[in-house]
Amino acid sequence: MRIAAGLLAVTALTAATACSTSDQPAHAEAPAAAAALKPSETLTPLLQQALPNVKGKTFTSAVVAFPPNISALPHRHGQAFVYAYVLEGTVRSKVDDKPVTTYHQGENWIEQPGAHHVLTENPSRTKPAKLLVVFVSNTGDELKVDDPKS
């Protein structure tokens, strides 16, 4: 429940930031501030449930939305088993040392526990993309941990 509440808070904060306006003219915005406001992927939790027959494991489903021309930071999903299904648009993905693969609406993939998700992006400059993502994780683990910045 703690993870779902945190994800909902992040989603609400992202939406509030995207909808806020500034009193300053656009030319007064610093480049760092502009980069901070760049849209990124959003994760909207759908369901989180402890698995009754597998002690210490939780099932979580979520929709991940990618605005046009957006990439997620390289990341891992801890020891979670991950299933991703493309609901809308196109997503390019690279996991571990496997080749980059392009997935279209209706296609899917899995990620093994501990996998390194090197690339996740919406290559379209005009159309959004959405994924249905299902995690089977250790109860209490973070669902996504971005790589440290170098």
Side-chain angles (χ1 to χ4, degrees), residues 58-106:
T58 297
F59 170 97
T60 305
S61 62
V63 172
V64 180
F66 289 87
N69 205 33
I70 290 297
S71 297
L73 293 173
H75 60 275
R76 297 179 189 271
H77 298 289
Q79 290 304 306
F81 176 82
V82 180
Y83 169 78
Y85 177 86
V86 182
L87 295 168
E88 176 183 327
T90 300
V91 175
R92 292 181 68 224
S93 177
K94 177 174 173 47
V95 177
D96 293 324
D97 58 355
K98 295 179 180 139
V100 174
T101 305
T102 301
Y103 298 95
H104 303 280
Q105 184 176 358

Side-chain angles (χ1 to χ4, degrees), residues 37-60:
L37 295 177
K38 180 180 178 189
S40 64
E41 82 276 13
T42 57
L43 186 143
T44 304
L46 300 173
L47 174 71
Q48 186 172 43
Q49 173 71 48
L51 293 175
N53 59 341
V54 185
K55 185 176 179 170
K57 295 291 181 179
T58 297
F59 170 97
T60 305

